[in-house]
Amino acid sequence: MSSIQSQFLDLTAHNTCYDAIDPQVALKDSASDKVIFIAGASKGIGQATATAFAQAGAKAVYLTARSEEALKETQNLVRTANPNTRCAYAVCDVTDARQVEAAVKDCAAQFGAIDVADANAGYLGPWVKIGESDPEGWWRNWEVNMQGSYHVIRYTLPHLIESAKTRGAEGRSGGHLILISSIGAQFVMPGASDYQTSKHAINRLCEFVQSDHDEDGIKCFAVHPGGVATDIGHSMPAHMHEYLVDDPSLAASFAVWLSTGDADWAKGRYLSANWDVTELTALKPEILRDDLLVNRLRAKA
């Protein structure tokens, strides 16, 4: 498999934003006419993503999360990053389909479109063995991580399809959908059955979105955002905290890059924000030829 390993790519790893994905340099104005919908935008990676799209010149950024106070903070950061980027928000629990539907409708009504959707809301509970787990707590991971992502997908897709159609007719790329996965999706670690299986399912859900809506012009990605010292990151056992070395700006800038169209060839796949995008692009022929970075059962040694 050349430089391709069975689970990961042997690429230069980054821990923070770098020149090739810098929304204020290489990607400056790349989002100038786009409307961005972000679920889970109140803090951490979601907040950084909202700011990064504003720095890249987004027409508008629509924020959702459960905390209005935190949403106002993100809104202020967006306005500071780019006074010309319009910004609105809705208090929204992604596990509630009606709330997500209402937020999406409000976004489209205010800004006229949705060109990029980022399902960033997530949850990680205590790590315990399945036989010792709390059923409600175990399932909460799936409600937020999987059901929440589904709701964002379901209600933004009609708008993303329209974006892909409209922008495609003009020779531009639109209809980008980013699902937050995790490197944990590729591991089996004691006590992490709820979180890691939900993230593994996100990877497969990404593939189904692409299978169902490739003809509609949708480009869906399942993204590991790096090891970031967010509330979710700190919910891991203490011995795992040494891996929380990545800045939120890395995943945020990576999301902007995914939305430029430069990564459209990698649609329907699992990608890591840590991977150097120039080196990743160089592996395009091999990745497409061998259908890599997707969930598959290995049946041969």
Side-chain angles (χ1 to χ4, degrees):
M1 298 176 69
S2 182
S3 62
I4 307 294
Q5 298 176 342
S6 60
Q7 293 284 341
F8 308 106
L9 301 186
D10 184 17
L11 305 177
T12 298
H14 295 276
N15 302 113
T16 190
C17 178
Y18 53 100
D19 289 348
I21 60 171
D22 191 327
Q24 299 182 87
V25 183
L27 305 186
K28 182 177 174 60
D29 297 327
S30 64
S32 60
D33 59 349
K34 296 178 182 177
V35 177
I36 319 299
F37 183 94
I38 303 176
S42 61
K43 53 188 174 181
I45 296 168
Q47 187 176 78
T49 301
T51 302
F53 272 106
Q55 291 172 335
K59 171 186 174 180
V61 178
Y62 194 94
L63 317 168
T64 77
R66 293 182 299 164
S67 168
E68 184 169 15
E69 183 178 350
L71 284 168
K72 288 180 178 178
E73 179 183 340
T74 303
Q75 185 180 52
N76 288 334
L77 290 173
V78 168
R79 290 171 172 170
T80 299
N82 186 351
N84 295 320
T85 295
R86 298 172 64 188
C87 187
Y89 68 80
V91 176
C92 174
D93 184 336
V94 293
T95 66
D96 188 318
R98 299 285 76 82
Q99 290 185 30
V100 177
E101 181 182 26
V104 170
K105 285 183 177 179
D106 186 49
C107 176
Q110 289 200 52
F111 303 132
I114 298 177
D115 300 295
V116 180
D118 182 14
N120 186 77
Y123 176 79
L124 170 62
W127 285 24
V128 294
K129 293 180 179 180
I130 295 175
E132 302 168 2
S133 62
D134 168 61
E136 291 186 6
W138 194 96
W139 194 244
R140 180 64 178 167
N141 281 269
W142 280 75
E143 290 175 333
V144 178
N145 299 335
M146 189 64 172
Q147 185 184 42
S149 294
Y150 164 75
H151 289 157
V152 173
I153 293 166
R154 172 62 182 85
Y155 294 110
T156 62
L157 263 176
H159 302 282
L160 295 174
I161 290 170
E162 183 62 28
S163 170
K165 178 181 177 180
T166 301
R167 296 175 67 85
E170 300 170 350
R172 301 180 298 164
S173 184
H176 292 96
L177 176 60
I178 300 168
L179 311 180
I180 298 300
S181 181
S182 169
I183 196 171
Q186 319 301 343
F187 292 112
V188 176
M189 302 187 73
S193 64
D194 45 10
Y195 181 77
Q196 291 188 343
T197 56
S198 72
K199 290 300 185 179
H200 191 75
I202 286 292
N203 294 354
R204 181 66 90 180
L205 181 61
C206 172
E207 294 177 42
F208 269 105
V209 171
Q210 203 59 57
S211 174
D212 286 351
H213 294 286
D214 188 72
E215 292 183 355
D216 297 319
I218 294 300
K219 299 90 179 176
C220 186
F221 308 94
V223 177
H224 167 54
V228 184
T230 60
D231 290 346
I232 288 179
H234 281 126
S235 295
M236 294 192 301
H239 71 274
M240 299 291 292
H241 293 180
E242 64 179 291
Y243 300 106
L244 303 179
V245 297
D246 299 320
D247 191 85
S249 66
L250 177 66
S253 301
F254 191 75
V256 176
W257 177 73
L258 289 176
S259 303
T260 63
D262 289 347
D264 285 0
W265 61 270
K267 60 190 177 183
R269 303 177 190 278
Y270 166 89
L271 302 174
S272 172
N274 296 114
W275 295 341
D276 182 89
V277 299
T278 302
E279 296 176 14
L280 172 64
T281 302
L283 291 177
K284 172 183 174 180
E286 190 171 357
I287 292 170
L288 295 181
R289 183 194 68 212
D290 296 334
D291 198 21
L292 305 178
L293 307 180
V294 290
N295 289 358
R296 295 292 181 269
L297 180 66
R298 199 172 185 180
K300 293 182 180 180

